[in-house]
Amino acid sequence: MSTIQQTLQEQLAKGLHELFSIEVSEIVLQETKKEFEGAYTLVVFPYTKQAGKAPAAIATDLGEYLMANCGIVKTFQVVQGFLNISIHDSAWLDLLASVASDKNPFQIESKGEKVLIEYSSPNTNKPLHLGHLRNNFLGFSVAQILAAGGYDVVKTNLVNDRGIHICKSMLAYQLFGNNETPETSGLKGDHLVGKYYVAFDVAYKEEIAELKAKGLEEEQAKKQAPILLKAQEMLLKWEQGDEEVMNLWNTMNAWVFAGFEKSYKTMGVSFDKIYRESNTYLLGKQIVDEGLASGVFFQKPDGSVWINLEAEGLDEKLVLRKDGTSVYITQDMGTAQLKYTDFKASQSVYVVGNEQDYHFEVLFHILKKLNKPFSQGNFHLSYGMVDLPSGKMKSREGTVVDADDLMAEMIQTAKDRTLELGKIDGFTEVESNELFHNLGLGALKYFLLKVEPKKRMLFNPEESIDFQGNTGPFIQYTHARICSILRKAGTINSINTDSELASSEQELIYLLGEYKAIIATAAANFAPSVIANYAYDLAKTFNKFYNEMTILSEENEVKRNIRIILADLTGKTIQHATSLLGIVSPNRM
RNA sequence: GGUUCCGUAGCUCAGUUGGAUAGAGCAACUGCCUUCUAAGCAGUAGGUCUUUGGUUCGAAUCCAAACGGAAUCACCA
């Protein structure tokens, strides 16, 4: 919130008290609509009863009060119950000067609180796809935003590297792989493994068809297919630590991890700590024992362990199988414990798709019932699936938009577009490639992050992601433009606040003054889309200003200097805002 | 069937505690590059905010119901 807004709020609260004896805890101001004159608007309808006057009369009284008591107010207009307040240019310039001279205009003071954010969480049986991109970009961005919001952030990744699905690709590799490796096949490790995950499904389906031809019911055929039985056998061997199986598992996992490493690098995301389910899956059992002892869980005659969540509006939920092995939620209890032991974070954010809404609801209820110290501050950042025009993506059927392919395509599109526009004069090859990368990824990240997470979104591979309009490259372009001006601007002097402002200049100052509050809102709501929309708004406002005003050739020294400072601060703000989205804003493009 | 989420322009989406005549971009059409990067700017056109009822000075926003779509309700992860 800017100082202008604060001053107005204080004065309006005083005014309401002195004129009408109304006490208000918080005055809510909004931006005045473009059709009306003014910068801030107070809606006075809520005070009509207490004041015993008509809305317009209250607004007029308050406006006159401000004129008499508040130096920054230039004038006011009353439209029905709306009090529109105009601010002196000198006050706007004061605001600009204060933001421009702020040593840390983008960093909110430390809250002394640690937040743990878990995202990405891939399976090691297949490469990453478009859905993972949404997850990774969201998780990384939220981490950046929380850090800017004053939190101590720890980024974690819980890799699902064990289970029947992993055995499926291992088995298929054993059967059909002919010892091929990433080196001999020329395939990235995760893609090679993914190939066998698909191969398993193909073979499995063939076997089911054969069994059905022999007269078995579909259900029976699915359970009895030899290749599935073999995969189950392999899982047992894995759990027993069978040497051959472990060797294969280690080898294939190493391939996948090397592949993921590359993808993460291209995505520009990183982690402070990587957990693997193969190390954590047994941990939850201790917690189950504790819960049984304290009566939170109960045991059925067959030995399985359950929790009753009917009082919470849910139902009974299994937490341990009758054979004593752990299920998904057992692992998550264990992992939650482990993460708490490692980091003692006061908040924990899980970036996981909305198909697991129910799972996390259950998990958080269980942690509360167990009265764990980490039962508070848990948040499931749930996001919708990315659908294709043909429907849902399915890895085992090969109907996915592959993450690596898509990123490569975006980079290629950025390259084509840039060459078309002939904009890389004087770039070295390294610089060009860096630019194509930043633009391609910028377009992709912005496309995925500008949308509210919980909405499911449609991605049409036939229609490439735009580079014009409300897009990442538009914002990046604005930044590059600003850099170009600044390269030619020479020294920047301090602001002379005795000058006049055009409306586009004033709008820019208004937006720049809001940025810290925007970060706070985004952090409080784990919402990159708030930052994305702000960045677009800011870029758009700057471009309007850029087209209306001359900057470098402005003859009035004071005005010229103000405009350069405006450009400078806008550039820095865009740079920072895009960085919170994981987007790099190039200096030239 | 139960629960949860979503439904705003032809398409993709904004709309932060309820406020003025519901906003952008894409696509279509018109203008603007011998002045700071035209990946830009200005403009035209495009809406029963799924529907119905309720709450109130005021509802896209809150409540209820209906309709449409999605997810989930596994001793899979």
Side-chain angles (χ1 to χ4, degrees), chain A residues 385-583:
Chain A
M385 299 290 100
V386 186
D387 290 324
L388 301 175
S390 53
K392 201 179 168 178
M393 297 191 284
K394 290 202 178 97
S395 289
R396 58 171 182 270
E397 290 172 14
T399 57
V400 292
V401 174
D402 181 77
D404 294 320
D405 291 349
L406 180 57
M407 289 192 287
E409 274 169 38
M410 291 303 299
I411 293 166
Q412 183 61 44
T413 308
K415 182 176 178 178
D416 296 344
R417 186 99 186 100
T418 306
L419 294 177
E420 233 172 74
L421 293 169
K423 291 221 177 184
I424 46 166
D425 289 349
F427 277 60
T428 65
E429 196 180 331
V430 173
E431 285 169 339
S432 302
N433 287 331
E434 197 181 302
L435 176 66
F436 305 148
H437 179 274
N438 287 334
L439 291 179
L441 267 291
L444 185 56
K445 287 179 183 182
Y446 187 83
F447 176 79
L448 291 170
L449 289 176
K450 73 172 177 184
V451 180
E452 198 193 323
K454 68 181 169 188
K455 288 195 177 177
R456 61 187 266 263
M457 51 193 303
L458 188 81
F459 176 77
N460 190 345
E462 305 299 317
E463 299 168 13
S464 56
I465 294 173
D466 281 323
F467 280 65
Q468 284 167 21
N470 189 355
T471 67
F474 168 86
I475 297 164
Q476 291 169 309
Y477 174 73
T478 307
H479 178 261
R481 221 180 198 185
I482 289 169
C483 289
S484 170
I485 293 169
L486 294 175
R487 278 193 293 270
K488 298 169 189 163
T491 50
I492 300 177
N493 302 314
S494 60
I495 292 178
N496 181 343
T497 59
D498 185 21
S499 181
E500 285 180 359
L501 291 172
S503 68
S504 59
E505 293 173 301
Q506 186 235 284
E507 267 174 62
L508 253 189
I509 297 174
Y510 174 87
L511 276 177
L512 292 168
E514 287 297 299
Y515 185 50
K516 250 187 191 174
I518 294 287
I519 295 177
T521 306
N525 296 297
F526 309 110
S529 62
V530 169
I531 300 291
N533 289 318
Y534 171 83
Y536 174 65
D537 220 21
L538 182 62
K540 205 169 160 47
T541 306
F542 180 84
N543 282 324
K544 186 183 172 192
F545 157 74
Y546 176 92
N547 271 274
E548 282 176 9
M549 303 284 156
T550 51
I551 299 173
L552 295 175
S553 48
E554 168 60 45
E555 286 172 6
N556 180 320
E557 244 336 285
V558 173
K559 286 187 176 176
R560 181 178 186 272
N561 190 56
I562 287 169
R563 288 174 194 167
I564 290 169
I565 288 171
L566 264 175
D568 183 40
L569 191 57
T570 304
K572 285 175 177 153
T573 305
I574 288 178
Q575 167 81 52
H576 189 265
T578 50
S579 80
L580 295 188
L581 302 174
I583 294 172

Side-chain angles (χ1 to χ4, degrees), chain A residues 123-128 165-204 227 252 255-256 260 394-400 402 404:
Chain A
N123 295 337
T124 56
N125 62 336
K126 59 189 179 195
L128 306 176
H165 52 301
I166 309 295
C167 290
K168 286 177 180 174
S169 30
M170 285 162 62
L171 180 63
Y173 177 79
Q174 241 178 12
L175 294 173
F176 321 119
N178 297 320
N179 294 317
E180 78 171 336
T181 65
E183 288 73 30
T184 63
S185 66
L187 283 174
K188 203 160 151 276
D190 48 337
H191 288 262
L192 179 67
V193 173
K195 180 172 131 187
Y196 289 101
Y197 186 61
V198 174
F200 175 91
D201 197 58
V202 171
Y204 181 44
I227 197 167
M252 292 179 74
W255 292 343
V256 173
F260 284 173
K394 290 202 178 97
S395 289
R396 58 171 182 270
E397 290 172 14
T399 57
V400 292
D402 181 77
D404 294 320

Side-chain angles (χ1 to χ4, degrees), chain A residues 119-122 128 132-144 155-157 260-272 274 407 437 441 445 449 579-584:
Chain A
Y119 72 103
S120 198
S121 309
L128 306 176
H132 293 106
L133 290 179
R134 191 177 195 186
N135 181 308
N136 280 279
F137 295 157
L138 255 180
F140 183 76
S141 177
V142 169
Q144 298 283 100
K155 292 173 287 183
T156 68
N157 183 0
F260 284 173
E261 201 53 47
K262 269 192 181 170
S263 300
Y264 286 143
K265 203 174 167 226
T266 310
M267 285 183 220
V269 303
S270 59
F271 307 95
D272 301 308
I274 293 182
M407 289 192 287
H437 179 274
L441 267 291
K445 287 179 183 182
L449 289 176
S579 80
L580 295 188
L581 302 174
I583 294 172
V584 178

Side-chain angles (χ1 to χ4, degrees), chain A residues 32-53:
Chain A
T32 302
K33 292 222 160 204
K34 273 181 269 159
E35 313 86 274
F36 300 97
E37 201 186 325
Y40 293 94
T41 294
L42 177 74
V43 182
V44 301
F45 287 109
Y47 311 117
T48 45
K49 266 187 192 160
Q50 277 176 279
K53 271 188 153 181

Side-chain angles (χ1 to χ4, degrees), chain A residues 160-170 231 234-235 238-239 249 277:
Chain A
N160 182 349
D161 61 348
R162 62 164 289 279
I164 189 74
H165 52 301
I166 309 295
C167 290
K168 286 177 180 174
S169 30
M170 285 162 62
M234 188 181 252
L235 180 60
W238 182 89
E239 297 212 354
W249 179 71
E277 280 194 9

